[in-house]
Amino acid sequence: RIRPHPIPSASMNAHTLATLLHIGADPDPVLFQTTFTTRHVGEKETLIRAGDECRSLYVVHSGFFRSSYLDRSGSIQGLGFPMAGDTLGADGLATGRHTAEAVALDCSEVVVIPVAQLTALSRSHAALATLFYRLISREIVRDQCSLFLLGSLGAEARVAAFLLDLSDRFSALGYSRTTFNLRMTRQDIGNYLGLKIETVSRIMSGLSQQGLISVHHRAVEILDPAGLRLAVEDA
Amino acid sequence: RIRPHPIPSASMNAHTLATLLHIGADPDPVLFQTTFTTRHVGEKETLIRAGDECRSLYVVHSGFFRSSYLDRSGSIQGLGFPMAGDTLGADGLATGRHTAEAVALDCSEVVVIPVAQLTALSRSHAALATLFYRLISREIVRDQCSLFLLGSLGAEARVAAFLLDLSDRFSALGYSRTTFNLRMTRQDIGNYLGLKIETVSRIMSGLSQQGLISVHHRAVEILDPAGLRLAVEDA
DNA sequence: CGACCGTTTGATCCTTTTCAATCGTCGTGG
DNA sequence: CCACGACGATTGAAAAGGATCAAACGGTCG
C-alpha cells in the first residue's frame, strides 16, 4: 500500500533527541548542531523486517509500533509495543541483520540514526556515544523486565502488569494515565504476554468484574491502579 | 567467603578480546595496544549485585555465571548462564545502576571494561566503538531468544532448547557437544525457564526415557540431537 | 556414620489451553 | 440507508499442562 501523498521528511537535533529519550544531556552545542532525519511510517507499514540488513536504528518520535520475533517454524513472539522515546532495531547491530520486525500500529514518525553515523558520531563526540550506549542498554532492561513477566507471573498478573505499564507510558507522554485506547489486538497482547487470546479476553473481563478496570473492546479505563498493582504482586 | 590466596590479575588486549567475542576485527595495531585488566571471580562469588553502581562491563574469559533479575517482592527470574565470550552488566549503562545480578557458578575470570574507557575508547578508535556496540546488541538478541522460549514454548520444548543451547555453546568453546556437566542446580534451570524444579526434573527424566538424552544428576549426555530439536519444534 | 542438600517420583489440584459457538463492530456494496 | 460479510472479541465446557503437596532417594561433607 503506497502512501498517496509525499512522505514528509524533517530533521531533529541530537539535544532534542536526548530530551525525547528522557536521557539527561548537557547542553553541549555540538548536540544542537548534530541533526538526524526523521521518517514517516504509515499505519500497518513494516519499518523493519526480520533478516533485513541493519542500516539504521530508529527512535520513535510519535505513533505506536509492535515489534516481534519470528521463529523459522512460523510461530511469533511479541517483544513489545514501542512508542515515543523507544528504540527500534538495536538487535541488528550484533550481526548486521535484524532478527526482529517492527510494524507501525498507528501512523508514526521515527528519527533515523544510520549505523555509520553511530560510530562516526561516537568517535567525534563523547556525549553522543554515551547517549547511544544508554539507548541500547535500555532495550536490554526492557527485555529483561518482559522476561520476568513471562517467567514468573501468572496470566492475570501479566495482563495487570501490561495495563499498568501502558498506563505509565501513556502518562509519561502526556496522555491520560487512566483512560486510553489499546492500539493492538488481543492477538498482539497474547503474543506479547505468552497467552492465548481467549485467556487475555477472559482476564480482561475478570479484572473488569473485580472493578479494577473497565473494558469495552479497545477502550480501557483503569479504575483502581492500586488494586491492579496488588494483582501483580500476589501472583 | 574471602579467597585465601592473592587474587590473580592479568591483562588482555582488545584484539584478543574481539577474538574471544567471535567478533571479527581487522588486525588494527591499536587493538593490540589497547589492553584491559582481567579479574578473578571465585565460585559462588557475586560479581554484580542488583542496585550496584555500574562502573564496568565484564566479558567472561573463563568460567561460568548465572545472571538473574530480582523483583522487589522477592521473586527471581533467571536471565541466563553467561560463559566465555558473553557479556555481563550491559543492563547498567541505561541508568548507571545494575538491575540484574551476576554470580559465578564456577571459579571464573572476566575482562573488565570500565564504562569510562567505554566512551573514551569509542572516541579514539572507531573499531572499538563498533566492537562495543555489537557486544551490547548481542545481549538484546540473546534476551529476545529467551523471550521466545518463555512465551511460545511448552515445558518440554524449553528444556530441550535449553540443553541444545548449552550443547552449542560448550561446543563453540571446544568442549564436547554431547557430554557435559550442568554447573547450575535444577532450581537455577527452573528460574531461567520459568518452570518449577519438579517439572524440570520430570522432563529431564522424560527426555531420558525417550532416549533423547541421558541424565544422572548434573551429568548430561545428548544422545539424539535431532530428536531434541524435534521436541523443540513441534511444541 | 549421619545429616543435609539437591534431586527424583507420585498423586492431586489449579491454571491455562483447546474447541466451539456467539456477539459486536466496522466497512463495503447493494 | 440498510444489509451483509468479515474480522475481532467474548463466553462456555472439556481437556491438557504445570504447579503443588508429600515422600523417598542419592550423593557429599562434616
Side-chain angles (χ1 to χ4, degrees):
Chain A
R1 181 171 312 176
I2 309 287
R3 290 178 49 76
H5 53 78
I7 295 174
S9 176
S11 69
M12 173 180 283
N13 70 51
H15 187 268
T16 310
L17 178 63
T19 307
L20 173 66
L21 293 164
H22 292 102
I23 288 175
D26 302 330
D28 187 334
V30 82
L31 291 179
F32 291 96
Q33 289 160 20
T34 308
T35 61
F36 301 98
T37 64
T38 65
R39 174 178 156 186
H40 180 91
V41 187
E43 191 176 337
K44 296 187 181 175
E45 187 181 335
T46 300
L47 175 64
I48 299 173
R49 215 171 289 275
D52 275 359
E53 192 185 342
C54 175
R55 295 197 195 81
S56 322
L57 301 189
Y58 305 95
V59 175
V60 182
H61 181 220
S62 66
F64 203 85
F65 284 81
R66 175 195 67 208
S67 81
S68 31
Y69 177 91
L70 299 144
D71 192 54
R72 325 138 196 62
S73 63
S75 52
I76 202 170
Q77 173 62 40
L79 297 173
F81 299 100
M83 42 202 286
D86 294 325
T87 307
L88 292 169
D91 58 276
L93 293 174
T95 63
R97 294 207 169 269
H98 290 289
T99 55
E101 70 162 30
V103 180
L105 295 181
D106 260 2
C107 186
S108 306
E109 195 136 350
V110 296
V111 183
V112 182
I113 306 178
V115 290
Q117 279 191 43
L118 199 69
T119 49
L121 290 172
S122 303
R123 195 154 153 60
S124 48
H125 309 298
L128 280 171
T130 306
L131 184 73
F132 295 142
Y133 283 122
R134 288 195 193 166
L135 198 70
I136 302 174
S137 171
R138 208 150 64 167
E139 288 303 290
I140 296 177
V141 175
R142 197 175 282 286
D143 288 343
Q144 292 183 348
C145 283
S146 294
L147 274 170
F148 175 73
L149 267 197
L150 291 187
S152 306
L153 300 185
E156 189 178 80
R158 287 187 214 177
V159 175
F162 170 72
L163 292 173
L164 286 171
D165 180 53
L166 273 186
S167 169
D168 284 346
R169 293 164 68 202
F170 280 131
S171 160
L173 294 178
Y175 299 108
S176 168
R177 174 184 286 280
T178 57
T179 307
F180 46 84
N181 270 62
L182 300 174
R183 263 82 160 196
M184 71 295 282
T185 66
R186 296 283 189 272
Q187 182 66 63
D188 292 332
I189 299 175
N191 285 338
Y192 174 58
L193 296 177
L195 300 172
K196 295 302 165 190
I197 88 173
E198 296 97 325
T199 307
V200 174
S201 184
R202 254 183 269 274
I203 285 173
M204 293 275 214
S205 304
L207 294 175
S208 178
Q209 283 185 344
Q210 294 175 50
L212 301 179
I213 64 174
S214 147
V215 202
H216 250 300
H217 304 103
R218 301 206 185 170
V220 173
E221 183 177 1
I222 295 187
L223 301 173
D224 182 357
L228 269 187
R229 262 182 287 274
L230 213 71
V232 176
E233 305 295 342
D234 49 41
Chain B
R1 182 170 314 175
I2 310 286
R3 289 179 49 75
H5 53 78
I7 295 174
S9 176
S11 69
M12 174 182 282
N13 70 50
H15 187 269
T16 310
L17 178 63
T19 307
L20 173 64
L21 293 163
H22 293 102
I23 288 176
D26 301 330
D28 187 335
V30 82
L31 290 179
F32 290 96
Q33 288 160 21
T34 309
T35 60
F36 301 98
T37 63
T38 64
R39 174 178 155 186
H40 180 91
V41 187
E43 191 176 339
K44 296 188 182 175
E45 186 182 337
T46 300
L47 176 64
I48 299 174
R49 214 172 292 272
D52 275 0
E53 191 185 343
C54 174
R55 295 199 195 80
S56 323
L57 301 190
Y58 305 94
V59 174
V60 181
H61 181 221
S62 67
F64 203 85
F65 285 82
R66 174 194 68 205
S67 81
S68 32
Y69 176 91
L70 299 144
D71 192 54
R72 326 137 196 64
S73 61
S75 52
I76 201 169
Q77 173 61 42
L79 297 173
F81 299 100
M83 41 202 286
D86 294 324
T87 307
L88 293 168
D91 59 275
L93 293 174
T95 63
R97 293 206 170 269
H98 290 290
T99 56
E101 70 162 31
V103 180
L105 295 181
D106 259 2
C107 186
S108 306
E109 195 135 351
V110 296
V111 183
V112 182
I113 307 179
V115 290
Q117 278 189 44
L118 199 69
T119 51
L121 290 172
S122 303
R123 194 153 153 62
S124 49
H125 310 299
L128 281 171
T130 305
L131 183 73
F132 294 141
Y133 283 123
R134 287 194 193 167
L135 197 70
I136 301 174
S137 171
R138 208 151 63 168
E139 288 303 289
I140 296 177
V141 176
R142 196 175 282 284
D143 287 344
Q144 293 183 348
C145 283
S146 295
L147 274 170
F148 175 74
L149 267 198
L150 290 188
S152 306
L153 301 184
E156 188 179 82
R158 287 187 214 176
V159 174
F162 169 72
L163 291 173
L164 285 171
D165 180 53
L166 273 186
S167 168
D168 284 345
R169 293 164 68 202
F170 280 130
S171 159
L173 294 178
Y175 298 108
S176 168
R177 174 184 288 281
T178 56
T179 308
F180 46 85
N181 270 61
L182 300 175
R183 263 82 159 197
M184 71 295 283
T185 66
R186 296 283 188 272
Q187 181 66 62
D188 292 333
I189 300 176
N191 286 339
Y192 174 59
L193 296 177
L195 300 171
K196 295 299 163 192
I197 88 174
E198 295 98 325
T199 306
V200 174
S201 183
R202 253 184 271 274
I203 285 173
M204 293 274 215
S205 304
L207 293 174
S208 177
Q209 283 186 344
Q210 293 174 51
L212 302 180
I213 64 174
S214 146
V215 201
H216 260 299
H217 304 104
R218 300 204 183 171
V220 173
E221 182 176 3
I222 295 187
L223 302 173
D224 182 357
L228 268 187
R229 263 182 285 274
L230 214 70
V232 177
E233 305 295 343
D234 50 41

